[in-house]
Amino acid sequence: MKKSSLKLMVLLGLCISGILFSCNNEKNLSEPVKGNLQKFEDYKIFGKAHNELLSHANDHFIVTRSNNNMSLEDGLQYLANFQKEHVNEMSIDDEAKALLKAGLDEYKDFYAQDQLYNMSLLSTRSSSEGLLKDKIGQIYEAGVIDHFEHDGLLTLCDASLANYNGELSVAEFKAIIADLITKWEAQHYTEESKYGRTLAIALSVSESSMDWWSENTVETRALPLWVGADIIGAVLGAASSVVNQLVLSDNEFSWTSLGWQTVSGAAIGSTGVVTKVGKWISNLF
C-alpha cells in the first residue's frame, strides 16, 4: 500500500509538471518568433558521444587481478583514464576531446552509484537541500535558463529518482523525455537566444541514453535498473558547468563547454551502472 501511494504521488507530480509546461507552451506560442529556430537535431552530437562512451565501457572494460585490488580512489581514476583513452579515438574535434576528458576527471567520484544517488536523493522538489537542486536554482537565478528549462531539469531529476525506486519503467521514462522534447520544440527558441540550450543538451543525452538502455538490457521486476543515473549525471554536468563558468569566466560563457561537461557527467553516471563495471566498483569499497 505504501509503495502504491508513493507511485501515485510521483505520477501526480509529473502530471502537474505537464500542466505547467502546457501553460508555458500556450504563452510562448502566442508570441511572434523572430530569427532562426534552434533545432533539436543539432544537439544530438552530445547524445551520440555519450552512447559511444557507454558502449566502449560495456564492450571493452576488463577486470584483472591488478585493477581488482585497487583502492576506491585509485579505481575511480583508473576508470576515468580508461574512458579518456577512448575519447582520443572519437570523431570529435580537439577542443571537445579536451573538455570531455576534463569532465571525466572532475566527476569521477560519481562512478560510484551510491554516491551519485545520495547526492541526488535530496534534489527533489520537496527538499530544501541538495547539491543538484541548488545548482539548478543557481543557474535559474543567474538568468542562464528560463522557467521552462528550470522545470524541465527538475522533471528529469524527479523521473530519475522514481526510476531508481522502481516506480518508473524505462518505457515510461522514455515517454516523459519524448514529451519534454516535443514541448521544448514548441517553445520556439531562436539561435540568437541564450535560452533553450541547457535543457536541449540534457534532453539529447537523455534520449540517447534511453535508446541505449532499451537496446542493451532486459528490465525485470526482480531487478529494476537505474537508467536514470545517466540523466542525474547529465543534469549535474550541465549545472556545474554553468555555475563554474559564471564564477570563473568574467561573464564569458561557452555553450561548447557546457555540452561536453553534460556528456562527461552522464557518461560517468551510466558507466557506474553497467553490470560488470558496477560490480567491479562495489568490490573496491
Side-chain angles (χ1 to χ4, degrees):
M1 179 69 70
K2 181 177 180 182
K3 186 172 181 179
S4 299
S5 299
L6 184 57
K7 183 172 183 178
L8 180 61
M9 291 175 64
V10 171
L11 295 176
L12 179 60
L14 293 172
C15 289
I16 292 173
S17 296
I19 294 172
L20 293 175
F21 280 130
S22 297
C23 292
N24 285 337
N25 286 344
E26 291 176 3
K27 179 180 178 181
N28 284 8
L29 288 172
S30 66
E31 298 172 355
V33 177
K34 298 179 181 179
N36 296 321
L37 294 179
Q38 294 179 39
K39 298 183 178 73
F40 189 75
E41 187 74 24
D42 293 338
Y43 295 100
K44 290 194 174 184
I45 183 176
F46 300 112
K48 180 180 178 181
H50 165 270
N51 283 15
E52 183 175 343
L53 280 171
L54 185 52
S55 290
H56 180 72
N58 189 52
D59 296 339
H60 300 289
F61 185 79
I62 299 174
V63 178
T64 65
R65 180 176 297 179
S66 59
N67 68 25
N68 209 31
N69 292 317
M70 292 178 169
S71 66
L72 178 60
E73 182 179 356
D74 289 343
L76 297 179
Q77 187 61 61
Y78 176 86
L79 189 52
N81 291 340
F82 167 79
Q83 290 198 300
K84 283 159 58 180
E85 288 178 4
H86 182 66
V87 170
N88 293 326
E89 303 174 5
M90 293 173 67
S91 299
I92 54 179
D93 61 38
D94 289 342
E95 181 186 11
K97 289 178 180 179
L99 290 167
L100 189 47
K101 288 189 287 187
L104 289 171
D105 275 331
E106 182 174 354
Y107 304 121
K108 63 180 181 292
D109 287 350
F110 295 112
Y111 281 122
Q113 183 178 349
D114 286 346
Q115 294 190 52
L116 183 63
Y117 176 73
N118 290 336
M119 177 277 300
S120 60
L121 179 63
L122 297 178
S123 300
T124 59
R125 295 176 194 277
S126 60
S127 174
S128 60
E129 302 177 5
L131 173 62
L132 192 50
K133 181 183 177 183
D134 285 348
K135 286 183 178 292
I136 294 172
Q138 285 177 42
I139 62 178
Y140 177 59
E141 292 299 326
V144 177
I145 59 175
D146 64 9
H147 185 71
F148 177 83
E149 291 181 277
H150 175 268
D151 276 5
L153 292 173
L154 288 179
T155 294
L156 288 176
C157 294
D158 290 343
S160 298
L161 294 174
N163 171 250
Y164 181 92
N165 291 322
E167 302 151 3
L168 199 68
S169 69
V170 175
E172 290 169 327
F173 208 156
K174 287 182 70 173
I176 289 171
I177 292 170
D179 185 55
L180 281 173
I181 292 171
T182 298
K183 288 169 179 173
W184 178 89
E185 292 173 330
Q187 297 300 302
H188 293 161
Y189 291 113
T190 66
E191 292 180 356
E192 293 75 22
S193 174
K194 65 180 179 181
Y195 296 127
R197 302 177 188 275
T198 304
L199 180 58
I201 293 169
L203 286 173
S204 169
V205 173
S206 300
E207 180 186 52
S208 294
S209 167
M210 291 298 104
D211 290 341
W212 193 94
W213 288 112
S214 295
E215 294 170 4
N216 289 277
T217 63
V218 177
E219 192 176 29
T220 68
R221 289 183 179 273
L223 184 64
L225 178 68
W226 190 32
V227 298
D230 303 58
I231 285 76
I232 290 292
V235 176
L236 173 65
S240 296
S241 175
V242 173
V243 171
N244 291 341
Q245 289 190 65
L246 290 174
V247 172
L248 301 174
S249 65
D250 193 25
N251 294 325
E252 293 185 5
F253 192 83
S254 169
W255 293 108
T256 300
S257 178
L258 182 146
W260 294 112
Q261 289 271 305
T262 303
V263 174
S264 60
I268 286 173
S270 57
T271 301
V273 180
V274 169
T275 303
K276 61 182 176 181
V277 179
K279 289 181 178 178
W280 172 75
I281 291 175
S282 66
N283 288 333
L284 301 180
F285 281 90

